[in-house]
Amino acid sequence: MTDGARARQREQTRRTLLHVGRRLFATRGYAAVGLAEIVHTAGVTKGALYHHFAGKADLFRAVLEHVQQEVAQKVAATADAEDDPWEQLTSGCRAFLTASTDPDVQQIMLIDGPAVLGWSDWRALDEAASARHLAEALTTLIEEGVIAPQPVEPLTHLLSGAMNEAALWLARSTRPGDLDDTWTALSQMLQALRLKPAHTAAATD
């Protein structure tokens, strides 16, 4: 077997482990999935898994990163479809909340993610995946005078924190109308940031 063929085989094994891991973690939850089940379902040996990952937690981290990147890409694509910067912000925020109601995303990103990685590591991955896009959107709105001049970094963290908390709550909610109610509350928060157009002074004689 050539070096190129070996490299392709290794990459295929890694993709298979990620695919199987994602399916099992999403449907059963991290705690209920054993390493033996993962390698058996993937049709590989434990040695093959350990060649790519340090263990089950490391595989889960890679799956989580992939899920977070998928969500970030959906949010960015939804925002980029709008021409108006304000609509880009609001549509992107709504897309994030909507994506967070997907059962796979809920289980991996919102339920097991913080528990397995710990809050600090989970937040760091979240920032790497999506905070940059939010900061860019806010910067544009400030530059265009839609939002009052203010430091972007704390504002980004405040909004990101609010949306993550909303997503975590939605992951555990059972009422069908909770997503719409959450968006209504968030949209009102966002509107509060928007500067009101200056009133035109009444003409005088």
Side-chain angles (χ1 to χ4, degrees):
M1 183 181 293
T2 65
D3 289 344
R6 290 191 187 92
R8 288 192 295 273
Q9 186 179 60
R10 287 194 296 269
E11 181 56 30
Q12 179 59 46
T13 298
R14 187 177 191 278
R15 285 197 300 266
T16 299
L17 286 167
L18 286 170
H19 174 74
V20 169
R22 175 172 180 162
R23 177 162 56 84
L24 292 175
F25 292 143
T27 56
R28 304 262 305 284
Y30 178 84
V33 178
L35 200 61
E37 181 181 8
I38 293 172
V39 297
H40 175 74
T41 305
V44 302
T45 64
K46 283 189 177 181
L49 183 144
Y50 284 121
H51 178 79
H52 295 280
F53 306 101
K56 187 175 80 164
D58 193 37
L59 172 61
F60 177 82
R61 183 187 183 94
V63 169
L64 172 61
E65 287 178 336
H66 186 68
V67 171
Q68 286 181 318
Q69 288 167 3
E70 280 187 357
V71 171
Q73 288 168 0
K74 288 179 181 178
V75 171
T78 302
D80 291 344
E82 302 290 343
D83 294 326
D84 179 70
W86 179 257
E87 293 299 325
Q88 288 177 347
L89 173 68
T90 56
S91 63
C93 290
R94 182 158 194 168
F96 172 79
L97 290 181
T98 301
S100 70
T101 62
D102 179 273
D104 288 6
V105 172
Q106 288 181 335
Q107 185 64 50
I108 293 172
M109 191 174 85
L110 301 173
I111 297 174
D112 283 337
V116 176
L117 270 65
W119 184 255
S120 295
D121 283 353
W122 181 81
R123 283 292 294 131
L125 287 180
D126 176 69
E127 289 179 19
S130 59
R132 178 175 59 84
H133 297 293
L134 179 58
E136 290 173 353
L138 293 171
T139 299
T140 298
L141 290 169
I142 290 172
E143 290 174 347
E144 296 192 359
V146 180
I147 293 177
Q150 58 191 288
V152 171
E153 187 173 2
L155 181 59
T156 301
H157 280 278
L158 285 167
L159 289 179
S160 178
M163 286 190 287
N164 280 328
E165 281 298 315
L168 287 165
W169 178 71
L170 286 170
R172 292 169 171 81
S173 70
T174 56
R175 196 174 68 87
D178 283 341
L179 174 59
D180 289 339
D181 290 347
T182 301
W183 170 243
T184 297
L186 179 60
S187 63
Q188 290 175 351
M189 289 176 59
L190 294 173
Q191 284 292 338
L193 293 171
R194 192 170 188 177
L195 291 172
K196 303 298 186 291
H199 292 293
T200 304
T204 57
D205 293 332

